[in-house]
């Protein structure tokens, strides 16, 4: 994940002057326009402070604009400007190309399996947050035993 993010960050910064976080914000606003910052934080999984900094930067670049929520004047809704939408549409082509190149080594059925497994892991993220340190993890059935398995688990944990 870190290698993918680093590569994307470099590519998007060089070609479009955007960080990956800014790109994720633009993408979310393209999918779901006129939402509060709290919704962006919820969906992309970032804390409020970095999202707020990135929103301010994107607004300064003229890529998004905010306005008061008609139902609650204390809340600001954020949306893409025409320039932000146009930039999104240019970046998405590069993002989809990167995705296609990454997944090219997988068959269609392997891609479907991967997406299904990632979705299940995503849905299970709350189990990490709600677990008490003294509660042992449930036994993983079919897990290989021995030093090789331990090394694989350590490597996987370092990526988590």
């Amino acid at each position: 994940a870190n290698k993918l993010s680093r590569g994307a960050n470099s590519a998007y910064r060089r070609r479009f002057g955007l960080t990956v976080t800014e790109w994720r914000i633009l993408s979310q606003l393209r999918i779901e326009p006129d939402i509060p910052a709290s919704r962006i934080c919820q969906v992309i999984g970032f804390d409020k402070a970095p999202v707020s900094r990135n929103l301010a930067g994107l607004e300064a670049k003229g890529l998004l604009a905010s306005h008061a929520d008609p139902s609650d004047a204390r809340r600001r809704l954020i949306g893409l400007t025409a320039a932000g939408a146009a930039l999104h549409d240019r970046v998405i082509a590069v993002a989809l190309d990167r995705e296609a190149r990454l997944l090219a080594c997988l068959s269609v059925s392997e891609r479907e399996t991967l997406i299904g497994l990632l979705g299940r892991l995503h849905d299970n993220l709350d189990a990490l947050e709600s677990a008490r340190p003294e509660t042992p993890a449930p036994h993983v059935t079919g897990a290989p035993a021995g030093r090789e398995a331990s090394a694989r688990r350590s490597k996987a944990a370092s990526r988590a």
Side-chain angles (χ1 to χ4, degrees):
N2 287 338
K3 284 183 179 182
L4 281 172
S5 186
R6 232 183 349 263
N9 207 40
S10 175
Y12 300 156
R13 187 178 296 278
R14 185 178 60 252
R15 292 182 72 174
F16 305 106
L18 289 176
T19 66
V20 169
T21 303
E22 289 172 327
W23 163 239
R24 291 179 73 190
I25 291 169
L26 290 179
S27 294
Q28 184 58 37
L29 291 171
R30 188 69 158 156
I31 293 166
E32 199 174 350
D34 293 326
I35 57 175
S38 60
R39 174 69 180 153
I40 295 169
C41 294
Q42 177 189 21
V43 172
I44 68 173
F46 283 7
D47 291 330
K48 184 179 175 183
V51 169
S52 293
R53 282 192 302 273
N54 281 280
L55 288 171
L58 290 168
E59 192 162 16
K61 292 178 185 178
L63 300 173
L64 57 87
S66 63
H67 60 276
D69 183 341
S71 63
D72 182 353
R74 297 169 297 169
R75 192 165 80 160
R76 307 284 302 162
L77 300 180
I78 305 153
L80 295 178
T81 62
L87 179 58
H88 169 275
D89 294 349
R90 290 189 5 247
V91 179
I92 192 74
V94 173
L96 291 173
D97 178 65
R98 286 177 52 82
E99 178 183 277
R101 287 187 284 131
L102 176 66
L103 298 177
C105 64
L106 302 177
S107 70
V108 171
S109 67
E110 289 171 328
R111 290 177 197 180
E112 290 170 357
T113 299
L114 174 64
I115 290 168
L117 292 170
L118 290 171
R120 284 174 48 197
L121 288 172
H122 183 268
D123 292 345
N124 196 43
L125 284 172
D126 286 342
L128 291 176
E129 302 306 319
S130 63
R132 295 187 316 252
E134 68 275 2
T135 305
H139 178 70
V140 178
T141 57
R147 187 179 304 173
E148 186 178 295
S150 179
R152 279 196 298 270
R153 285 192 300 269
S154 291
K155 189 174 182 181
S158 72
R159 290 186 295 233

